[in-house]
Amino acid sequence: MNKTTLIAAFVFATGLSGSQVLAQGTTTPPRPQPPAAQPAAANVPVSRVAIIFSEAFQDAKNGIARFTVTLSKLNGEFQKIQDDLNQTAQRLKTLQDEITNMQRAGTATPAQIQAKIDALDQQKKDYTRKGEDAQTNYQSRRTVLFTPLQEDVAKALDVFAKARSITLVIDGSQVEGIVYAAEASDITRAFITDYNAKNPATASVTPPK
């Protein structure tokens, strides 16, 4: 290779390198990507749960006084019917014993014994019918007397819970499957005491007639 050829080769190589550098220098660099948006944090409400055992409301000694007074009123209204049923049951037992003795003694005729049996059967039917009617009337009257009281207690419990920032009250007498509840979460005694203080038994709710 002579000097002219060597120079030409050097110029070509130099030009090629310059072209690559120029090309690299004019390439647009990639734009940086913005960071991925983070999901907004969920606003979890603060809750306070309490448990109450409504069956304790009707405890004769430690429950809500109005329930005891109302139950006494209800039973008083049906006391005469209950006494009549008790007396009828005793008469039926006496008649049954009489028939049994007649059959054992053998002194009565079959017709006499059958007459006693027929009378016993009829009295049993009358007793059963009267008892069923009394039970139906008792339940109906119980609904009339207790419904306004139960509604009043429910409203009072709502006020009681809101005043103490309680967001959920579970009735342990109605909900099955409660495995554990801390003693501090049981508001039964506190509510009964509060209700009795604000609603004495003498100021009972007036039920509809």
Side-chain angles (χ1 to χ4, degrees):
M1 179 180 299
N2 56 31
K3 182 175 181 180
T4 302
T5 304
L6 180 59
I7 292 174
F10 176 77
V11 172
F12 174 78
T14 302
L16 181 61
S17 298
S19 299
Q20 291 176 341
V21 171
L22 180 61
Q24 292 176 358
T26 58
T27 301
T28 303
R31 300 179 62 184
Q33 297 296 321
Q38 297 296 323
N43 185 17
V44 180
V46 178
S47 300
R48 185 181 180 190
V49 179
I51 188 169
I52 198 167
F53 294 92
S54 61
E55 62 183 7
F57 295 171
Q58 300 188 43
D59 184 271
K61 293 183 178 180
N62 301 313
I64 291 177
R66 285 188 180 181
F67 274 101
T68 302
V69 171
T70 304
L71 183 60
S72 296
K73 173 180 173 60
L74 174 65
N75 291 338
E77 292 179 2
F78 286 84
Q79 188 60 54
K80 186 179 184 303
I81 297 177
Q82 183 62 59
D83 291 342
D84 291 343
L85 289 172
N86 292 341
Q87 293 171 6
T88 301
Q90 185 59 45
R91 287 195 298 269
L92 291 174
K93 183 179 183 303
T94 299
L95 183 55
Q96 180 64 67
D97 292 342
E98 183 180 346
I99 294 172
T100 300
N101 292 334
M102 290 173 64
Q103 291 172 332
R104 288 177 180 176
T107 56
T109 65
Q112 291 173 327
I113 295 175
Q114 187 59 48
K116 291 284 186 180
I117 293 176
D118 292 342
L120 177 61
D121 289 343
Q122 184 59 49
Q123 292 182 34
K124 282 183 177 179
K125 291 179 181 178
D126 293 342
Y127 171 78
T128 300
R129 183 173 60 253
K130 183 180 290 187
E132 291 174 347
D133 290 343
Q135 184 65 28
T136 299
N137 293 335
Y138 182 91
Q139 292 299 330
S140 177
R141 182 59 175 161
R142 180 185 177 89
T143 299
V144 171
L145 291 176
F146 276 88
T147 296
L149 176 55
Q150 291 170 337
E151 291 175 350
D152 187 71
V153 170
K155 292 178 182 178
L157 179 58
D158 184 67
V159 174
F160 179 90
K162 288 180 178 178
R164 291 158 180 78
S165 301
I166 298 173
T167 55
L168 176 64
V169 177
I170 299 174
D171 188 350
S173 299
Q174 302 294 330
V175 178
E176 297 181 358
I178 298 178
V179 179
Y180 169 78
E183 184 176 353
S185 66
D186 185 354
I187 62 173
T188 306
R189 175 51 41 202
F191 173 69
I192 291 176
T193 301
D194 182 79
Y195 186 87
N196 285 339
K198 296 177 180 178
N199 304 276
T202 54
S204 57
V205 177
T206 302
K209 299 295 184 182

